[in-house]
Amino acid sequence: MAERGAGVAGRPDLTRGPGRLLVTLYGVFTVAAASRSLYQLSTRFDEAPLAYLLSAVAALVYAFITVALVRGGEAARRVALVCCAAELTGVLVVGTWTLVDSAAFPDATVWSDYGLGYLLLPLILPVTGLLWLRRAAPGAP
């Protein structure tokens, strides 16, 4: 018999409870960041290449997290943990960089000003994700 909260073949179901909201938000952020960056990279690359490339990187990170959460299992949980940590690092580095040297970013990225243009969700999501993934670890209370 599978453990409570376990998915197929006893793999941790990362989409239950708060995980369901995380999957939804990361899915939306994947589409939003990818759409925005693809448009900007294809039409205005010369205006702010660093900002647009960083938004594309954010979209990739969001996509990896979304897929890992949906896939479930211990390996996917570890991938999601690494990606959430990378996302948080990116938000903190880029957020600080945009405040210290705004001239480096003639246009905003998803992570500019710690995600202020997205209601700070780019800062809140990885923290929430890390907490959820830690709680979903095997043997976690």
Side-chain angles (χ1 to χ4, degrees):
M1 185 168 163
E3 295 177 29
R4 187 178 79 107
V8 178
R11 295 181 351 190
D13 183 1
L14 302 175
T15 62
R16 66 182 167 83
R20 185 171 300 174
L21 179 59
L22 285 172
V23 167
T24 301
L25 289 173
Y26 273 117
V28 168
F29 267 71
T30 300
V31 171
S35 302
R36 174 184 176 163
S37 66
L38 285 174
Y39 171 77
Q40 291 170 324
L41 287 169
S42 64
T43 62
R44 303 176 359 193
F45 180 77
D46 56 324
E47 293 177 24
L50 179 60
Y52 303 151
L53 287 170
L54 284 171
S55 287
V57 168
L60 287 173
V61 172
Y62 295 147
F64 275 109
I65 294 169
T66 304
V67 170
L69 289 171
V70 169
R71 180 168 162 74
E74 183 54 22
R77 188 189 71 77
R78 281 190 241 121
V79 167
L81 269 171
V82 169
C83 288
C84 283
E87 176 192 2
L88 181 58
T89 301
V91 171
L92 294 174
V93 168
V94 173
T96 302
W97 191 0
T98 57
L99 294 175
V100 171
D101 184 14
S102 59
F105 296 90
D107 201 355
T109 75
V110 174
W111 295 338
S112 292
D113 304 321
Y114 306 108
L116 189 60
Y118 290 86
L119 305 174
L120 296 176
L121 283 174
L123 181 61
I124 296 166
L125 271 176
V127 172
T128 306
L130 288 167
L131 292 171
W132 171 244
L133 291 164
R134 184 170 172 242
R135 183 171 172 248

